[in-house]
Amino acid sequence: MTIWNTLLDGTSLRVEGNRIVSDDASADVANVRKGAVMVPLVHLKGIEAQGEEVTDFLHNLFSNDVKKLSADSAQWTSFNSPKGRMLASMLLWHADGGYRLALAADVHEGILKKLRMFVLRAKVALKDGTEDRVLLGVSSDVLAECLAKANLPVPAAPMKCGQRNGVSVIRLDAKRVVIDAPTGAVADIWSQLQAQSVAPAGTAAWNWLDVQNGIPLVTEATQDDFVAQMLNYELIGGVSFKKGCYPGQEIVARTQYLGKLKKRMYHLQGPGNTDAKVGDELFAPAFEDQAIGKLVTVAPAPNGGVEALAVLQIQAAEEGQIFLGSPAGTKLRLAALPYSLDVAQGQ
């Protein structure tokens, strides 16, 4: 996007397709731990949903309870296949009398097309949210102070949002927000944040933060592969088990209450020579040549090596023998997630 090319001019960052690339990705990620960063979220794209029947429309299609979403709140949600496999993971929030969604850029066009097929005679309008708006991520240890000094809304808690002058600020966790702004307003926001010593960073830095927080992103490489529980989606509040039907609901509910879950999403780390990308398969001795899982999100580690979120067989995770690409590939080790997997394992 031209606006990002302009704002990144003179930095070590550049736009390459749906990514902001750094000359030194590991150093870029390391900056996240040193101070505040802002990341153009070009790996995400938005959808705007409007109309007097839009709440019911989204509620009947997504995994979370849209009807109970308060005006100052956001939620994780998903759009699933009839077989319960996640076609998109999404952040959903209220804006301008309707809703906005953020999802992976490489599935955006296909998901927008699928959603439009459900509109029929419903009084709903769906629009590509990237036509005149952009998404900017900010991470800071002093987030509230940083936002306030930049004249931005300060959501009080995670998954709360605030709006001002057409700008939405959605708080993801203690340190991060997503800013949804008109393209014409982002240069001023960028300047205000720079004045608070918020440094530009690349997509790898944001991916690393997703890994640390255990937040998955369904992309083209993992689309239609996993039910919600395999991606820990119910653990981060992305599934309601009390709402009515939606595509795939029966499978998701059966997995929760009747089935024995065999796969979960874990945090993995690899050594400095690890060459890993989203969609790469994982292996374990107990399963011989059969793949036991797949990488979901990958980022360089601040001190070298790689970190990732990956869905894999629970048995393999318990045995701790996980190899990348083949049974003889690079060995990966388990790392901590910010939430417990014991809550619903085996349900």
Side-chain angles (χ1 to χ4, degrees):
M1 296 181 68
T2 303
I3 185 63
W4 295 130
N5 289 327
T6 300
L7 293 175
L8 294 172
D9 187 37
T11 74
S12 63
L13 302 167
R14 61 192 180 277
V15 182
E16 289 189 3
N18 293 328
R19 295 184 63 81
I20 302 297
V21 177
S22 170
D23 291 336
D24 187 344
S26 290
D28 201 36
V29 172
N31 288 336
V32 176
R33 300 199 303 185
K34 296 177 182 178
V37 298
M38 54 183 170
V39 180
L41 301 181
V42 298
H43 68 295
L44 305 177
K45 286 188 176 181
I47 294 175
E48 295 183 22
Q50 298 282 341
E52 61 183 83
E53 296 178 348
V54 68
T55 299
D56 286 342
F57 176 80
L58 298 179
H59 182 83
N60 293 335
L61 288 179
F62 295 164
S63 63
N64 217 334
D65 194 326
V66 180
K67 291 182 179 180
K68 291 186 177 179
L69 184 66
S70 62
D72 66 343
S73 297
Q75 63 182 202
W76 298 112
T77 192
S78 66
F79 180 53
N80 305 325
S81 74
K83 295 183 178 180
R85 303 280 166 157
M86 285 176 62
L87 301 176
S89 56
M90 298 174 287
L91 181 66
L92 170 71
W93 65 97
H94 289 273
D96 298 330
Y99 299 87
R100 290 204 182 96
L101 304 162
L103 64 161
D106 61 0
V107 303
H108 172 268
E109 183 178 355
I111 294 299
L112 180 56
K113 183 177 179 180
K114 285 181 181 293
L115 293 178
R116 282 173 170 164
M117 291 172 62
F118 285 92
V119 173
L120 300 176
R121 293 185 176 86
K123 296 177 181 178
V124 174
L126 300 175
K127 175 187 174 184
D128 183 344
T130 64
E131 294 177 358
D132 53 9
R133 302 188 71 84
V134 294
L135 298 170
L136 176 67
V138 176
S139 174
S140 173
D141 288 335
V142 287
L143 184 62
E145 179 182 348
C146 176
L147 294 174
K149 288 184 176 180
N151 297 313
L152 291 165
V154 183
M159 304 314 288
K160 292 292 185 180
C161 60
Q163 277 99 23
R164 184 185 302 158
N165 299 327
V167 175
S168 296
V169 177
I170 305 97
R171 189 163 191 163
L172 302 184
D173 48 56
K175 297 183 179 181
R176 288 197 298 170
V177 295
V178 170
I179 300 171
D180 166 41
T183 304
V186 74
D188 182 61
I189 293 172
W190 186 273
S191 176
Q192 295 274 6
L193 289 169
Q194 278 190 318
Q196 311 308 318
S197 299
V198 181
T203 304
W206 196 260
N207 287 345
W208 184 80
L209 288 165
D210 277 345
V211 171
Q212 306 312 304
N213 287 281
I215 304 298
L217 178 67
V218 173
T219 61
E220 189 174 31
T222 56
Q223 191 177 42
D224 207 13
D225 282 344
F226 309 117
V227 297
Q229 291 93 332
M230 293 180 188
L231 286 164
N232 302 345
Y233 224 56
E234 89 285 18
L235 302 183
I236 65 169
V239 182
S240 169
F241 296 103
K242 297 181 179 180
K243 60 171 289 185
C245 293
Y246 57 90
Q249 182 265 343
E250 183 179 351
I251 304 300
V252 174
R254 186 185 305 161
T255 300
Q256 187 72 11
Y257 297 117
L258 300 178
K260 180 173 175 58
L261 193 62
K262 295 182 179 180
K263 291 183 177 181
R264 272 290 189 190
M265 188 177 72
Y266 294 86
H267 179 186
L268 301 178
Q269 297 176 333
N273 60 347
T274 305
D275 181 16
K277 64 182 183 300
V278 174
D280 282 354
E281 293 184 327
L282 302 169
F283 295 82
F287 293 82
E288 299 180 342
D289 292 333
Q290 178 185 350
I292 55 124
K294 182 180 284 190
L295 297 183
V296 174
T297 301
V298 179
N303 298 319
V306 68
E307 297 197 47
L309 294 175
V311 172
L312 61 143
Q313 292 278 352
I314 294 172
Q315 178 186 336
E318 291 173 344
E319 293 171 353
Q321 299 291 310
I322 304 162
F323 297 86
L324 176 64
S326 74
T330 301
K331 186 176 182 180
L332 306 178
R333 61 183 183 275
L334 290 164
L337 283 167
Y339 46 76
S340 172
L341 297 182
D342 295 332
V343 177
Q345 250 176 233
Q347 292 288 318

